[in-house]
Amino acid sequence: MCVVGAGQMGIGIGLVAARVAKLNVQFIDSSPAQLEKGLSFLDKLLVKDVAKGRCTEDERSEVKSRITSAGSIGSMSHADFVVEAVSENPELKRAIFTQLSERLSEETILATNTSSISITKIASAAKRPDNVIGMHFMNPVPVMKLVEIIPGLQTSEQTLSTTLALAQKMGKTTTMSQDVPGFIANRLLMPYINEAVIALQEGIATKEDIDTTMKLGTNNPMGPLTLADFIGLDTCLAIMKVLHNELGDSKYRPAVLLQKYVDAGWLGVKSGKGIYDYSSKK
């Protein structure tokens, strides 16, 4: 397997593939700094698992032996299955799928980890759109059991069955969604988070009271504003823009405050500040 994108999602996907499914995994990222950061994060996760008794030192070494990396699609090894896990940018994803099609065998399955963008549109950039499918993992990938599977208009039955089998091999439970903006999870989750930001924006309550109300009042493990910070406010904004642009309903209009946070570079946990401040925890 090859994973394009060595961010938190890509690293999580590759780790589960190498550890649970016992596949050889190659990470591809054009940024040497991101590749180094991602692989360092992967090693920290494995060290933590050893310390907590979830795996042995030998198992950690075995997993690491299955992992390689490269700085470009042109340098990637042969792969039967590729998962793209870059940012939610339709044109970037389409460009990557064009490059992958030119580099790899026509039999290679190309999956995208997009959380909201049309699979059909991404697939149209590939030479074999019937080999393209959506495989939406949840964050953090090693912990979350679910993978949404989204066939595009062109996706073949063979591509679908192979993808379902891989998800099962990775220890995941699958659900299947039609190729519509946001699929299942984000069609429901993102408007909820967006409405929580609007409540904060309008001064209905403090961020702490909004989160506490939803945690203790509706038995959610995490409040919507804290969850937004963990997902990444830039990711939340990008998904809301897809929902608003593609569905054309004003109820999906992104909160003005959400846009302001992103403009300020306050992206959540990953930047050290979002709706909450995490700088002291770094």
Side-chain angles (χ1 to χ4, degrees):
M1 175 193 278
C2 277
V3 179
V4 180
Q8 187 174 3
M9 289 300 297
I11 289 296
I13 293 165
L15 174 58
V16 172
R19 182 174 172 186
V20 179
K22 302 189 184 308
L23 299 176
N24 292 325
V25 176
Q26 184 176 43
F27 290 103
I28 309 294
D29 200 297
S30 59
S31 166
Q34 182 58 57
L35 203 52
E36 182 180 355
K37 180 181 177 182
L39 292 173
S40 174
F41 177 62
L42 183 149
D43 193 44
K44 286 178 182 176
L45 290 176
L46 288 172
V47 168
K48 185 177 179 181
D49 282 349
V50 172
K52 293 198 170 185
R54 295 179 187 139
C55 71
T56 65
E57 187 61 45
D58 286 345
E59 287 170 335
R60 170 177 170 255
S61 298
E62 186 182 340
V63 170
K64 291 189 71 176
S65 72
R66 298 190 189 109
I67 293 170
T68 58
S69 63
S72 69
I73 289 173
S75 303
M76 71 191 299
S77 306
H78 167 75
D80 297 317
F81 203 104
V82 177
V83 180
E84 165 273 309
V86 302
S87 59
E88 287 291 276
N89 180 321
E91 295 313 311
L92 174 60
K93 289 180 184 289
R94 283 172 54 82
I96 286 171
F97 274 71
T98 298
Q99 293 176 57
L100 289 170
S101 291
E102 292 169 351
R103 171 69 180 170
L104 298 170
S105 161
E106 289 190 352
E107 282 68 50
T108 301
I109 292 176
L110 307 177
T112 172
N113 183 54
T114 181
S115 52
S116 60
I117 299 168
S118 166
I119 308 304
T120 299
K121 185 173 183 178
I122 293 171
S124 68
K127 284 184 179 178
R128 288 284 305 273
D130 55 311
N131 285 351
V132 176
I133 194 166
M135 199 176 191
H136 179 211
F137 290 84
M138 305 295 152
N139 188 32
V141 181
V143 175
M144 302 297 280
K145 297 294 186 184
L146 184 72
V147 179
E148 281 183 308
I149 304 296
I150 311 99
L153 184 64
Q154 315 95 316
T155 305
S156 70
E157 285 297 324
Q158 180 62 47
T159 297
L160 175 58
S161 62
T162 300
T163 304
L164 287 169
L166 174 61
Q168 184 177 26
K169 192 174 182 180
M170 292 173 71
K172 300 300 184 183
T173 298
T174 58
T175 56
M176 193 145 57
S177 170
Q178 292 186 29
D179 184 18
V180 294
F183 316 131
I184 302 169
N186 283 325
R187 184 69 171 269
L188 301 175
L189 176 64
M190 286 302 154
Y192 161 64
I193 287 175
N194 193 59
E195 195 64 34
V197 178
I198 291 172
L200 179 63
Q201 172 184 302
E202 294 180 354
I204 293 172
T206 65
K207 56 183 179 285
E208 293 85 2
D209 281 351
I210 291 169
D211 275 354
T212 299
T213 297
M214 298 313 295
K215 282 173 64 180
L216 303 184
T218 63
N219 203 28
N220 281 311
M222 186 180 291
L225 300 177
T226 301
L227 179 57
D229 273 351
F230 273 86
I231 292 170
L233 301 187
D234 52 338
T235 300
C236 294
L237 177 63
I239 295 169
M240 286 307 301
K241 284 182 174 179
V242 169
L243 292 175
H244 188 225
N245 293 337
E246 296 293 327
L247 298 172
D249 193 321
S250 61
K251 71 181 181 181
Y252 298 115
R253 185 184 296 118
V256 172
L257 185 59
L258 180 59
Q259 180 71 65
K260 283 185 177 180
Y261 279 124
V262 174
D263 289 345
W266 298 354
L267 308 182
V269 174
K270 62 186 174 184
S271 68
K273 185 175 177 62
I275 297 171
Y276 292 91
D277 191 339
Y278 304 90
S279 57
S280 63
K281 299 179 182 180
K282 282 199 160 188

